Every structure is written in structure tokens, then in C-alpha cells.
Amino acid sequence: MSKENLSAAEALEKLKDGNKRYLSAAANTGDISPYIRKMTCEEGQTPYAVIITCSDSRVIPESIFMSGIGELFVIRVAGNVMDNHQLGSIEYAAGHLGTKLVVVLGHEHCGAVGAAMGADPDGYVKTITDEIRKAIGDEKDEDKAACLNVERSVSVIRDALGVKDGDDLKVCGAFYRIGSGEVEFL
């Protein structure tokens, strides 16, 4: 049984407002107090958004959206690619935690996108770059390629989870500019 949560539209506005505050902030103002730790430990979590983003250490969703403990359900994987593990995590957040907004957050200067554009790595990294190549084709502009990769992940989520227009669950893409801190919702 899911808990009552913000609507997708309310959650999106909260993310946008948090990012506006982040643009001029020196520190994250999200609540990480002993009180919120205790409360979420005892009462559980009700994150208002799922953020699927890259593992890049410069991309920190809790800071980018000025959020604290219990507010975001963050899934991180290089290149923000989708597989059954990520899809299961999204399904859990939506079905059991009542989260109604899923955001795939790509970013500029993404090493995984760059690797997919210019190299043919071996090992486990190849599973990531192969997935990104499906999204970007022959695109030569790195920012456009990163956005195409986001769009593919959004599409994979919608298709896999059967999300349709008009559903309570909304899935959208976004692009983070590391240099300025700005998030552009696609």
C-alpha cells in the first residue's frame, strides 16, 4: 500500500524551486537534522521524486535540488542507463513509497557518453556504452548525445512500467549543467 505523496506537478515545482536556490547557494539547506533522521527511521520514507542519474561525483541530486533526508529516491549508475535493477527500484518507489515523479537526469561532460562516442571499451563498461550507443547513434555533439541518452532512458521506463499520459506517475528527462548548476527539464 502506498503512502499519500505530492502530485507529479507539485514534485516537479519543488525540484525547480530547489534548483533555483542551489544556483546561488554555498551549502545545501536540506534537512539532515537528528530529528529528521529519527523520524524517517521510525516512520519510513516518503520521497517526493525518483532521480535516476549518473554516478559522476559532480552530480549530487540532494544538493542540486536542495533536499534533505527522505525527500529524494536516488538511483545512480554511470550514464544513467536503464536495466532491470533500476526499473525495479523505480517500481518500488512508485508502488510502495507513493512517489509520483521520476526524473532521468543527464549532465554535461558525461564520461560514459564521451566513452560511447569515442571509444570501444571492454569489460563491464561496454554494457553501459553499448546501451548509450543505442540512444545516440552517430551524434557528434556531446550535450545532444547526453540528452538523447536521457530521452531513451525515459522511454525505456515508460514502456517497461506501462506509464501513459494521464497516469498519476510522470516520467521526464532533465539535463544538468555542471558549470552553472542549472537543470533544464526536457
Side-chain angles (χ1 to χ4, degrees):
M1 172 167 238
S2 65
K3 300 175 184 180
E4 190 56 39
N5 206 329
L6 296 179
S7 71
E10 292 167 329
L12 184 59
E13 281 308 307
K14 191 167 182 169
L15 290 174
K16 288 178 179 180
D17 290 344
N19 184 242
K20 285 179 191 169
R21 290 192 315 276
Y22 171 71
L23 295 177
S24 61
N28 184 354
T29 57
D31 189 351
I32 59 167
S33 67
Y35 169 77
I36 197 74
R37 288 193 305 266
K38 184 177 187 310
M39 195 227 1
T40 57
C41 177
E42 292 173 357
E43 297 176 22
Q45 60 177 319
T46 312
Y48 66 85
V50 175
I51 309 291
I52 300 103
T53 195
C54 187
S55 300
D56 191 302
S57 64
R58 302 167 293 178
V59 181
I60 308 166
E62 294 84 354
S63 293
I64 292 167
F65 298 114
M66 300 297 273
S67 61
I69 294 170
E71 294 187 275
L72 299 179
F73 194 88
V74 178
I75 303 165
R76 295 181 70 140
V77 60
N80 44 269
V81 295
M82 291 294 106
D83 72 12
N84 289 343
H85 299 94
Q86 287 80 21
L87 292 168
S89 296
I90 295 165
E91 188 176 58
Y92 173 78
H96 295 279
L97 303 176
T99 309
K100 295 179 177 70
L101 178 66
V102 178
V103 178
V104 179
L105 180 64
H107 66 94
E108 67 181 344
H109 307 298
C110 180
V113 170
M117 292 175 72
D120 196 15
D122 334 0
Y124 297 108
V125 173
K126 185 172 175 38
T127 62
I128 295 168
T129 57
D130 285 353
E131 201 56 37
I132 294 169
R133 282 191 186 110
K134 290 177 188 174
I136 67 174
D138 294 330
E139 181 59 57
K140 301 295 183 219
D141 180 275
E142 194 172 292
D143 285 357
K144 286 181 184 174
C147 288
L148 288 171
N149 188 47
V150 165
E151 289 172 10
R152 175 168 165 71
S153 291
V154 166
S155 179
V156 167
I157 294 165
R158 285 182 178 152
D159 290 347
L161 300 183
V163 178
K164 297 173 184 60
D165 291 340
D167 287 353
D168 282 344
L169 181 65
K170 304 292 182 206
V171 183
C172 69
F175 185 74
Y176 175 60
R177 298 209 174 269
I178 292 172
S180 71
E182 183 180 4
V183 173
E184 300 162 17
F185 287 88
L186 308 175

